[in-house]
Amino acid sequence: METSAPAKVILFGEHAVVYGEPAIAVAINLRTYVKIKKSEEYRVNGYPMSDKYHSYIKNAIKLCWDGEPLDIQTKSEVPSASGMGSSASITVAMLTALLAMKDELKEEKIAKLGFEVEYRTQGSASPIDTSTVTHGKGILVHREKKDHFLWKVEKGELKWYIHHIEVPSLKLVVGFSGIKGSTKDMVNKVRRFYNWNSFARDVIRDIGKITMEAIEPLQDEDYERIGELMNEDNKLLTILGVNHPMLKRMINASLKHSYGAKLTGAGGGGSIIALTDEQDEVAKAIEEVGGKAYKVEISKDGFRIENHF
Ligand SMILES: Nc1ncnc2c1ncn2[C@@H]1O[C@H](COP(=O)(O)OP(=O)(O)O)[C@@H](O)[C@H]1O
Ligand SMILES: C[C@@](O)(CCOP(=O)(O)O)CC(=O)O
């Protein structure tokens, strides 16, 4: 069984979405591939499956597989701990394979199990990454049910309503700092700030407002306004303490040729995104300050069964 799932970038609302605020993300054309066959013992890329190195794979198996041991091979175009959702991508590719082998493949089921795997592995998460890489295209997460509703995810008192959102074919450049930013550590850092500081709670709410303001410009293809809102979002994320000097350098370098730029994903390292008409110029500027640039497109496909690895 061979499957794949894309990476994603969050356009608006990372961190705030963990507390139920709205957020928008798109799947991108970098993918993680998984090939699975039944075996005598669990192995990943030739090594015994371990808690330390294969935690997402192991939790995916724990949640939805009780058959024979599996030999798993993975191949990923998504750098790990990059803010591009490498963990969601491997999780959803794995779940696609496991559910397909059980003849239980359904988009909603993959997305909900995917969230559960991320939540258990990281100790805290929102469903934005796993829903986006399952569905592909664009996703709006909102605290209420709106048009183009797909499914609902719940955890404790929080409810996230997942929607499809039409997004124009945005020209984006991702700048990866090369510095790993652990989602788990960054989410925990923001949670400590959120729990004891009402100012942090206001910032989280303001990020949610920016996401809502971005919906119309996204639908009207008003790139100037989208860019302004990205810049504002980035300021608020900086106040939350998840920015990094290397991300700031890449953002400043990109802004000369972009409508706007911001960190994307958990931060603390990881990546930035820039919205631009001049992808080559932005990519060059990012590489000049030491980042790795990816000129990306939105991926229409979410999870996929593959015929060749
Ligand atoms: N190809 C892969 N195979 C197995 N696990 C992976 C793979 N890529 C990433 N991971 C797991 O995901 C973790 C990084 O996820 P995370 O911190 O959420 O960052 P992001 O999802 O933004 O890239 C890694 O530490 C590793 O456990
Ligand atoms: C910070 C957060 O909002 C996004 C994390 O994205 P990533 O794992 O860094 O790609 C956490 C979450 O929504 O689960």
Side-chain angles (χ1 to χ4, degrees):
M1 174 60 62
E2 297 170 24
T3 60
S4 72
K8 59 84 223 194
V9 290
I10 298 180
L11 298 179
F12 295 99
E14 48 272 273
H15 286 290
V17 68
V18 174
Y19 305 91
E21 292 294 331
I24 299 169
V26 292
I28 56 171
N29 60 334
L30 299 173
R31 301 187 75 84
T32 303
Y33 297 85
V34 161
K35 187 173 177 176
I36 294 188
K37 53 181 196 261
K38 294 188 178 161
S39 168
E40 308 274 284
E41 56 176 343
Y42 278 105
R43 292 186 87 78
V44 182
N45 297 327
Y47 295 98
M49 189 163 70
S50 84
D51 283 338
K52 186 168 175 204
Y53 298 110
H54 311 123
S55 49
Y56 292 88
I57 293 175
K58 213 169 169 182
N59 277 331
I61 290 168
K62 223 184 249 175
L63 257 173
C64 82
W65 183 253
D66 54 9
E68 290 158 64
L70 301 169
D71 182 84
I72 300 150
Q73 274 179 271
T74 68
K75 194 172 77 179
S76 189
E77 298 162 354
V78 192
S80 180
S82 60
M84 287 190 257
S86 65
S87 58
S89 187
I90 183 76
T91 299
V92 166
M94 267 306 293
L95 289 170
T96 301
L98 298 173
L99 291 173
M101 288 194 295
K102 299 201 309 186
D103 220 6
E104 291 175 17
L105 201 58
K106 269 186 72 187
E107 188 176 72
E108 180 171 343
K109 189 159 186 177
I110 302 171
K112 287 186 167 174
L113 283 169
F115 167 68
E116 224 22 75
V117 170
E118 284 231 303
Y119 193 89
R120 286 182 191 195
T121 317
Q122 291 171 191
S124 180
S126 85
I128 192 161
D129 285 15
T130 37
S131 283
T132 305
V133 310
T134 302
H135 180 67
K137 304 166 274 282
I139 286 286
L140 166 70
V141 181
H142 200 279
R143 59 169 90 248
E144 286 161 20
K145 195 167 173 180
K146 303 270 176 198
D147 289 346
H148 309 296
F149 169 73
L150 294 171
W151 51 76
K152 180 173 79 172
V153 178
E154 288 180 82
K155 188 54 93 182
E157 288 176 359
L158 284 172
K159 284 191 190 74
W160 294 273
Y161 291 87
I162 313 293
H163 306 81
H164 168 80
I165 183 170
E166 279 304 320
V167 281
S169 55
L170 302 170
K171 282 192 193 140
L172 294 168
V173 181
V174 178
F176 177 40
S177 60
I179 301 158
K180 295 194 178 214
S182 155
T183 303
K184 187 176 175 171
D185 294 350
M186 286 298 117
V187 168
N188 287 339
K189 180 177 174 181
V190 173
R191 187 173 295 284
R192 286 196 295 277
F193 193 19
Y194 181 92
N195 282 345
W196 60 258
N197 192 309
S198 66
F199 174 62
R201 295 192 282 276
D202 289 344
V203 172
I204 292 280
R205 272 191 289 276
D206 286 348
I207 292 178
K209 284 185 199 147
I210 287 181
T211 301
M212 293 312 292
E213 272 187 57
I215 294 175
E216 227 175 84
L218 270 171
Q219 274 152 5
D220 296 346
E221 303 188 27
D222 181 350
Y223 299 120
E224 301 275 354
R225 183 67 187 138
I226 300 167
E228 278 170 16
L229 291 167
M230 286 169 73
N231 295 339
E232 279 181 40
D233 195 0
N234 190 63
K235 282 186 199 144
L236 296 175
L237 288 163
T238 306
I239 295 171
L240 285 183
V242 296
N243 220 315
H244 184 281
M246 182 56 191
L247 299 182
K248 290 181 189 167
R249 272 200 288 283
M250 291 193 293
I251 287 171
N252 288 336
S254 307
L255 280 175
K256 289 174 207 136
H257 306 281
S258 303
Y259 294 106
K262 61 182 274 293
L263 75 83
T264 189
S271 300
I272 65 133
I273 46 169
L275 177 65
T276 180
D277 287 330
E278 301 167 57
Q279 277 179 313
D280 289 335
E281 293 300 326
V282 172
K284 204 166 134 224
I286 287 172
E287 304 235 328
E288 271 167 12
V289 296
K292 172 141 182 55
Y294 296 82
K295 294 179 265 176
V296 299
E297 286 165 23
I298 295 175
S299 168
K300 289 202 186 71
D301 288 350
F303 73 92
R304 209 159 71 187
I305 304 285
E306 298 286 341
N307 294 318
H308 53 84
F309 195 59

